[in-house]
Amino acid sequence: MGQVLIGPKRMNLNRRRFFSRVVLTLCLAGCGSAVWAQSFSEGFEDIHDANGDSSLSKLLGRGWSVVNSSNPLGTVSWFFGNGSTFQAHTGSGFIACNYLAAAAAGTISAWLCARPVHFHNGDTISFYTRSNGKYPDRLELRLSTGGTNVSVGSNETSVGLFTNLLLSVNPKLVTGGYPVAWTRETVKLSGLPAAGATGRFAFRVFETSAGFGAVNGDYVGIDDVVYTAVAG
């Protein structure tokens, strides 16, 4: 199994393979058109293959989507956190993103978009997150009410339909600003139309002067995401 060595900023992937394109969008056919049941939880326990290597196919089959619009584009986007850097909050796995989302010093903009639902005022989104802590990290929680579409814009600084910033962990991107122990974050939705709106929430690792050899960007983990709808 690959071991991540954050200090010298090198990664031994061994058998682990990650796929990258100019803008990497991972989504199974048809996942952008369906709206799933309202309340759900996601612990990222099965985002690996039989060998334990990262594989997001089951997560994508549940309607999630991943987009890496970092510049310069790296070799890694979101992947299975297997405990080589730190242990999961619960269970045996979590989802992670690290500095290799950008190939060199640049801007990391790595998106993890949840499945589409119909949002209402009073709905809550909670999750646990932590970092390795050796270099500054930043995580945004954003909301799109633009339907089932996954549109994050055309470059590393754009946000597309995800214009509503719900939460930022370590917004100033400073050393020591991101928790190094699993920490629960919770947001309650407000300001939506009375009838609600269909869309997605998304996690975005957004870091400037980040990537391999840069001063920012380390290793962000997310676990135990829970979306609770007031309508059930």
Side-chain angles (χ1 to χ4, degrees):
M1 190 85 50
Q3 182 178 12
V4 180
L5 304 175
I6 295 297
K9 289 214 164 186
R10 292 181 295 173
M11 172 176 281
N12 177 14
L13 295 179
N14 290 346
R15 294 167 298 163
R16 303 179 68 168
R17 295 181 179 179
F18 301 91
F19 300 91
S20 62
R21 296 182 177 86
V22 175
V23 175
L24 173 60
T25 303
L26 300 177
C27 189
L28 295 184
C31 74
S33 59
V35 179
W36 273 254
Q38 287 296 95
S39 299
F40 67 87
S41 61
E42 180 57 64
F44 308 106
E45 294 297 319
D46 61 354
I47 57 172
H48 58 82
D49 61 21
N51 296 319
D53 298 329
S54 185
S55 174
L56 302 185
S57 60
K58 291 181 180 178
L59 182 67
L60 306 180
R62 293 192 289 272
W64 290 65
S65 184
V66 171
V67 181
N68 187 4
S69 49
S70 304
N71 185 27
L73 189 69
T75 57
V76 177
S77 186
W78 290 91
F79 56 89
F80 179 58
N82 64 358
S84 61
T85 302
F86 47 74
Q87 298 298 311
H89 175 249
T90 60
S92 59
F94 58 96
I95 198 163
C97 177
N98 70 7
Y99 63 91
L100 292 175
T107 298
I108 294 176
S109 181
W111 295 79
L112 174 65
C113 306
R115 69 193 196 189
V117 293
H118 193 75
F119 297 113
H120 290 89
N121 292 317
D123 292 356
T124 59
I125 302 165
S126 68
F127 62 98
Y128 285 83
T129 188
R130 63 161 293 180
S131 173
N132 198 42
K134 294 185 177 180
Y135 299 88
D137 277 313
R138 176 169 56 201
L139 178 70
E140 296 179 343
L141 176 64
R142 288 185 168 272
L143 181 73
S144 164
T145 56
T148 62
N149 194 1
V150 180
S151 174
V152 300
S154 59
N155 57 53
E156 69 274 18
T157 60
S158 60
V159 297
L161 295 174
F162 292 87
T163 55
N164 299 297
L165 178 62
L166 301 178
L167 174 72
S168 182
V169 182
N170 195 18
K172 294 184 179 180
L173 196 58
V174 296
T175 302
Y178 208 103
V180 293
W182 286 110
T183 301
R184 187 173 186 257
E185 304 284 355
T186 303
V187 171
K188 179 179 285 189
L189 301 186
S190 62
L192 297 171
T198 297
R200 299 175 184 254
F201 63 86
F203 301 100
R204 180 196 189 199
V205 173
F206 178 53
E207 299 165 351
T208 54
S209 300
F212 186 82
V215 296
N216 294 323
D218 193 344
Y219 189 110
V220 170
I222 295 175
D223 204 358
D224 295 327
V225 177
V226 177
Y227 166 67
T228 305
V230 293

